[in-house]
């Protein structure tokens, strides 16, 4: 790992100082998420983010060759007793996580739970077949199963019929497509659209709902604590689980802001644009006007404002 971190430090210099990879997006996201922080603090978090991001890259590569003993030492899981208890009762568990700390290392969970459990994670297949095979190899190296997003329910139902309880990891802090927006919530000082598909799957298949609270202990060492939020999820009001997940994630981010994926253009979709361009009927989102028509509207509004 020492050699990997030497490369990480080199990557940091080129990614941040030479290429300036997404620095505008990162600075904008940090400034709007923490308006109370002075510029000096924002810059400190920005530098720490890029250092961590480069560490994340080399740590992910290291997954291909790292030993089981070394992985157990560097990625520690807490709260697995609650997972094992529910799995023994035949209850599957859904764990919601964010793009926070090293989420790729969470795929080593099979090393820490009962062997009879199926540990799965959802993923979007990569268009390039070679890269897709590489990432599947990395993520399944320690026994985790990768399930394509569009096949989620089919796999879960099949395993349930076979009497094989599952632990499923959902990373649900991405930016949803316009037609998949059913909930806006206050998150890091933004009115934020969030995925609700994970909640629907968890409730429909009666999974217990956990939050995975990840911490970076020091460079190359992480700890993930599984917090049981709700065991009986099927009758929970709509979106309550998603709201709780976003609250927990924000607490994690505020504890150590540099460890979230700030380079993602998370808030490019606004409630104002959604309300102007779309309407919701019977739980489905329909388009009223096109993106071009909205841009024209914004142009006219800006003209009259001035």
């Amino acid at each position: 790992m020492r050699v990997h971190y030497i490369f990480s430090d080199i990557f940091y210099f080129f990614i941040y100082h030479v290429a300036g990879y997404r620095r505008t997006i990162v600075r904008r996201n940090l400034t709007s998420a923490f308006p109370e922080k002075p510029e000096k603090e924002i810059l400190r978090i920005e530098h720490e983010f890029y250092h961590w991001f480069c560490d994340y890259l080399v740590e992910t590569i290291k997954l291909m060759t790292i030993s089981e003993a070394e992985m157990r030492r560097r990625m520690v899981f807490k709260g697995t007793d609650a997972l094992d208890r529910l799995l023994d009762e035949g209850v599957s568990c859904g764990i919601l996580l964010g793009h926070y700390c090293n989420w790729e290392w969470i795929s080593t969970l099979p090393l820490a739970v009962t062997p009879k459990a199926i540990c799965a994670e959802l993923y979007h297949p990569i268009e390039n077949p070679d890269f897709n095979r590489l990432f599947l190899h990395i993520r399944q190296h320690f026994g985790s199963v990768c399930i394509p997003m569009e096949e989620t329910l089919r796999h879960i139902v099949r395993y349930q019929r076979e009497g094989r309880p599952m632990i499923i990891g959902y990373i649900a802090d991405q930016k949803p497509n316009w037609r998949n927006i059913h909930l806006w919530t206050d998150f890091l000082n933004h009115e934020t659209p969030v995925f609700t598909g994970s909640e629907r799957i968890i409730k429909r298949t009666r999974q217990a709902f956990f939050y995975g609270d990840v911490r970076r202990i020091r460079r190359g060492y992480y700890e993930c604590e599984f917090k049981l939020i709700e065991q009986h999820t099927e009758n929970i009001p709509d979106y309550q689980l998603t709201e709780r997940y976003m609250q927990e994630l924000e607490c994690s981010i505020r504890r150590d802001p540099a460890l979230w994926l700030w380079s993602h253009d998370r808030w490019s979709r606004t409630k104002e644009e959604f309300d102007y361009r779309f309407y919701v009927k019977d739980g489905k989102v329909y388009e009223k006007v096109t993106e071009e028509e909205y841009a024209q509207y914004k142009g006219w509004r800006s003209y009259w404002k001035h």
Side-chain angles (χ1 to χ4, degrees):
M1 288 302 296
R2 291 195 185 102
V3 175
H4 281 69
Y5 287 132
I6 290 173
F7 281 107
S8 175
D9 292 338
I10 296 172
F11 291 160
Y12 163 77
F13 176 79
F14 283 99
I15 289 175
Y16 184 75
H17 292 287
V18 179
Y21 173 71
R22 296 199 171 189
R23 279 177 60 174
T24 301
I25 294 174
V26 171
R27 182 76 56 84
R28 183 175 67 239
N29 284 343
L30 286 170
T31 302
S32 58
F34 305 112
E36 75 283 359
K37 293 185 182 296
E39 182 180 2
K40 184 177 180 180
E41 179 72 3
I42 294 295
L43 289 174
R44 181 188 65 79
I45 296 171
E46 180 178 291
H47 283 278
E48 289 181 358
F49 160 72
Y50 279 95
H51 275 295
W52 160 77
F53 180 69
C54 293
D55 281 359
Y56 157 77
L57 295 176
V58 300
E59 288 168 359
T60 300
I61 293 171
K62 183 63 177 175
L63 263 182
M64 292 188 289
T65 58
I66 195 169
S67 69
E68 181 177 316
E70 184 73 0
M71 197 71 252
R72 289 180 185 274
R73 197 167 65 87
R74 290 180 174 273
M75 185 72 238
V76 176
F77 295 97
K78 294 186 174 182
T80 56
D81 51 340
L83 291 173
D84 289 338
R85 174 179 60 82
L86 290 168
L87 293 168
D88 287 339
E89 297 172 3
V91 178
S92 291
C93 303
I95 302 172
L96 266 72
L97 303 134
H99 287 90
Y100 187 76
C101 289
N102 192 325
W103 58 90
E104 299 292 351
W105 280 16
I106 306 298
S107 65
T108 65
L109 179 59
L111 300 178
V113 295
T114 174
K116 68 180 179 182
I118 297 172
C119 296
E121 56 182 288
L122 308 186
Y123 83 106
H124 288 286
I126 301 172
E127 290 185 7
N128 184 296
D130 294 325
F131 276 107
N132 191 61
R133 283 193 294 270
L134 175 63
F135 273 90
L136 285 177
H137 171 71
I138 291 172
R139 291 171 176 172
Q140 298 180 142
H141 184 61
F142 288 99
S144 183
V145 177
C146 288
I147 300 176
M149 290 286 292
E150 63 274 11
E151 300 177 14
T152 304
L153 272 177
R154 181 167 64 85
H155 280 77
I156 293 175
V157 170
R158 176 168 64 86
Y159 284 127
Q160 286 184 334
R161 286 175 178 171
E162 294 173 356
R164 304 169 70 187
M166 305 179 67
I167 302 172
I168 307 176
Y170 304 85
I171 295 184
D173 58 345
Q174 307 101 316
K175 178 176 61 179
N177 293 326
W178 286 110
R179 294 182 183 275
N180 291 331
I181 296 176
H182 301 283
L183 173 67
W184 296 79
T185 189
D186 183 20
F187 176 66
L188 291 172
N189 288 304
H190 293 83
E191 196 168 16
T192 304
V194 293
F195 274 111
T196 55
S198 301
E199 174 181 318
R200 288 196 297 273
I201 293 171
I202 286 173
K203 291 171 64 176
R204 183 172 175 179
T205 56
R206 297 172 178 258
Q207 298 174 36
F209 171 71
F210 285 79
Y211 173 68
D213 187 16
V214 190
R215 298 170 184 261
R216 191 189 201 196
I217 307 305
R218 63 183 188 275
R219 197 177 198 183
Y221 291 84
Y222 297 89
E223 177 183 286
C224 179
E225 181 180 2
F226 299 116
K227 298 180 178 180
L228 177 59
I229 307 298
E230 183 61 53
Q231 180 172 340
H232 305 285
T233 56
E234 59 272 16
N235 296 319
I236 300 296
D238 287 345
Y239 310 135
Q240 186 170 308
L241 296 179
T242 302
E243 291 273 14
R244 179 64 185 277
Y245 158 67
M246 296 300 287
Q247 292 167 7
E248 293 283 350
L249 178 60
E250 179 164 342
C251 288
S252 297
I253 294 170
R254 288 189 177 277
R255 183 179 64 224
D256 198 340
L259 305 181
W260 193 50
L261 191 61
W262 294 103
S263 55
H264 178 49
D265 196 5
R266 184 63 180 85
W267 292 291
S268 61
R269 296 195 174 113
T270 65
K271 186 68 161 55
E272 176 192 19
E273 182 174 357
F274 181 84
D275 290 341
Y276 188 88
R277 290 184 54 201
F278 301 91
Y279 69 96
V280 181
K281 182 178 179 181
D282 299 327
K284 295 184 178 181
V285 178
Y286 299 92
E287 189 175 50
K288 291 187 294 186
V289 301
T290 65
E291 186 176 356
E292 291 75 16
E293 289 172 322
Y294 175 72
Q296 187 179 39
Y297 155 75
K298 285 199 71 176
W300 277 109
R301 193 179 68 169
S302 177
Y303 172 80
W304 286 111
K305 182 178 179 181
H306 288 85

